[in-house]
Amino acid sequence: MLEVRHLTKRYDRVLALDDVSFRVKEHQVMGLLGVNGAGKTTALSIITGCMPPGEGQVLLNGMDMQEQPRACRRLIGFLPEEPPLYNEMTVEEYLHFVCRLREVEKTEIPEHVEEILEKTALKDMRRRILGHLSRGYRQRAGIAQALCGAPPVLVLDEPTVGLDPRQVTEIREMIMELGKEHTVLFSSHILTEVQQICSGILILHQGRLIHEADMSGLEDGAEKQTYTMVVLETEGDVPAAIRSIPGVRKVRGIQRGEGRCRMTVECSGHGDDVRVRIFHLLSSMNAPILQLSAQRNSLEDVFLRVTGEGEAKS
Ligand code: ATP
């Protein structure tokens, strides 16, 4: 669907992108992860045809962005870091306006705008002036304008930045929902965010693509999580009991001594549900958990190595 080949971009002395290549498959939600200055905005601006690359190619369904910019841009809806809103227009007027710019058939515009208002939960705000909207609703309006013309590919630059926690959750849920119908590429500097939403992750650092992870083959679209545990084994076989919990893949490295059982528990999906199940089961077995710690997965290791722990937890 979307392919980037050997993208390189230099601003004077700064090499913002250095030979970046990747593919995004149809209906994939791909996260482009990197700290400030990693090159995310530059990459997305080139991919959406807003800026020419120094070197390299952007292909959409095999068409080259530089050779067929008009046809390629029709396939992409773009939310830049600052949504391009006309503050004096109402939400509805603005979406009609963007539809006309995107050459949506005049007779189809009302129904199309209705669908977009529904998808972005903006129906109640349709008559509000854009300049009067809260940051969260402005971001929804920004996503709504990206949907005008029904482009198959959505490119979103840091869509959750500057939002409060509730708005962040709403926008993340919206992106996951949009991923059912669109191919989505979005940038973020928050590892947990891309792990939560994406089926694929690209890590950019100082203009280079340093890691790619495809998570689509894993259960629940989530990564494996591993815990180290120490449990007081007062009665029954604790490792055997933990093995029977849904979501537990493997219990290994079992060591027993002084009534304690130390083990490593591999779970599929994110750990919260599995940890709750482990807690209830062990509590019913009268087996207190003395220690439970999550081991980092490979993606966390890569991200923390290049960014430093503090930023990854932001
Ligand atoms: P942020 O999250 O802060 O927006 P980013 O990952 O999107 O960061 P870019 O904005 O693409 O990164 O910037 C990549 C590098 O290029 C940075 O070092 C930045 O300072 C530099 N840069 C970006 N735009 C320009 C410009 N117009 N002129 C000169 N240097 C630039």
Side-chain angles (χ1 to χ4, degrees):
M1 181 85 232
L2 168 65
E3 188 177 353
V4 162
R5 288 188 189 159
H6 306 293
L7 277 195
T8 299
K9 182 77 183 179
R10 184 179 283 282
Y11 302 106
D12 299 323
R13 279 189 216 138
V14 180
L15 186 56
L17 288 180
D18 184 5
D19 196 19
V20 170
S21 301
F22 61 84
R23 280 175 193 221
V24 187
K25 291 182 276 189
E26 199 171 349
H27 293 307
Q28 189 169 24
V29 178
M30 179 68 92
L32 184 61
L33 186 67
V35 294
N36 291 345
K40 305 181 295 294
T41 298
T42 303
L44 298 188
S45 302
I46 295 171
I47 287 167
T48 50
C50 299
M51 184 197 277
E55 286 166 43
Q57 271 182 309
V58 175
L59 301 167
L60 278 134
N61 283 344
M63 285 187 293
D64 188 314
M65 174 64 84
Q66 282 190 290
E67 287 170 8
Q68 294 167 274
R70 234 174 116 92
C72 284
R73 280 204 204 118
R74 266 181 213 278
L75 301 178
I76 298 186
F78 182 33
L79 172 75
E81 227 169 340
E82 275 301 316
L85 306 179
Y86 288 97
N87 283 334
E88 68 285 1
M89 288 185 181
T90 65
V91 172
E92 198 168 15
E93 281 167 353
Y94 173 63
L95 295 179
H96 276 257
F97 169 71
V98 179
C99 282
R100 287 199 297 277
L101 286 183
R102 301 254 168 88
E103 296 170 353
V104 177
E105 199 63 53
K106 211 172 169 188
T107 53
E108 291 173 9
I109 291 178
E111 197 184 331
H112 187 46
V113 167
E114 218 47 47
E115 268 175 43
I116 293 171
L117 289 169
E118 176 79 45
K119 278 185 188 167
T120 51
L122 276 171
K123 278 195 155 182
D124 294 344
M125 296 288 155
R126 65 200 307 152
R127 291 194 182 89
R128 290 283 180 94
I129 303 282
L130 287 165
H132 297 168
L133 292 182
S134 68
R135 171 103 186 132
Y137 277 111
R138 284 177 72 77
Q139 200 64 330
R140 286 183 200 207
I143 294 175
Q145 67 75 32
L147 291 171
C148 292
V153 180
L154 293 177
V155 175
L156 315 171
D157 195 356
E158 299 253 13
T160 61
V161 96
L163 302 181
D164 70 34
R166 189 178 50 84
Q167 293 165 340
V168 167
T169 307
E170 286 168 2
I171 297 292
R172 286 179 186 169
E173 281 169 4
M174 192 181 293
I175 295 170
M176 285 194 270
E177 206 49 42
L178 291 171
K180 293 178 185 164
E181 288 180 26
H182 300 263
T183 302
V184 182
L185 172 64
F186 83 98
S187 67
S188 173
H189 61 278
I190 304 167
L191 176 67
T192 48
E193 174 164 283
V194 289
Q195 281 182 309
Q196 201 181 346
I197 312 179
C198 299
S199 54
I201 298 183
L202 305 161
I203 302 183
L204 256 190
H205 187 60
Q206 295 178 347
R208 283 184 303 115
L209 189 61
I210 57 158
H211 193 78
E212 282 188 74
D214 183 355
M215 299 168 27
S216 53
L218 298 172
E219 286 172 52
D220 305 323
E223 272 211 302
K224 183 180 81 177
Q225 181 66 65
T226 303
Y227 299 100
T228 306
M229 294 184 67
V230 180
V231 177
L232 260 187
E233 206 170 24
T234 50
E235 55 192 75
D237 183 341
V238 166
I242 292 177
R243 262 188 213 109
S244 69
I245 295 174
V248 172
R249 283 179 175 179
K250 212 187 255 184
V251 180
R252 57 180 167 80
I254 300 163
Q255 294 170 14
R256 288 189 168 97
E258 297 172 10
R260 294 169 184 220
C261 180
R262 172 185 287 276
M263 71 208 107
T264 301
V265 180
E266 281 182 16
C267 305
S268 51
H270 292 295
D272 290 350
D273 290 351
V274 182
R275 276 184 295 189
V276 171
R277 285 186 216 128
I278 290 175
F279 166 79
H280 285 302
L281 179 90
L282 296 187
S283 151
S284 73
M285 289 176 73
N286 192 25
I289 300 171
L290 301 180
Q291 193 187 318
L292 191 152
S293 51
Q295 289 181 5
R296 285 178 190 167
N297 57 37
S298 59
L299 198 62
E300 268 177 310
D301 274 337
V302 174
F303 196 56
L304 296 180
R305 204 166 53 236
V306 297
T307 60
E309 191 141 0
E311 281 156 325
K313 298 262 182 254
S314 69

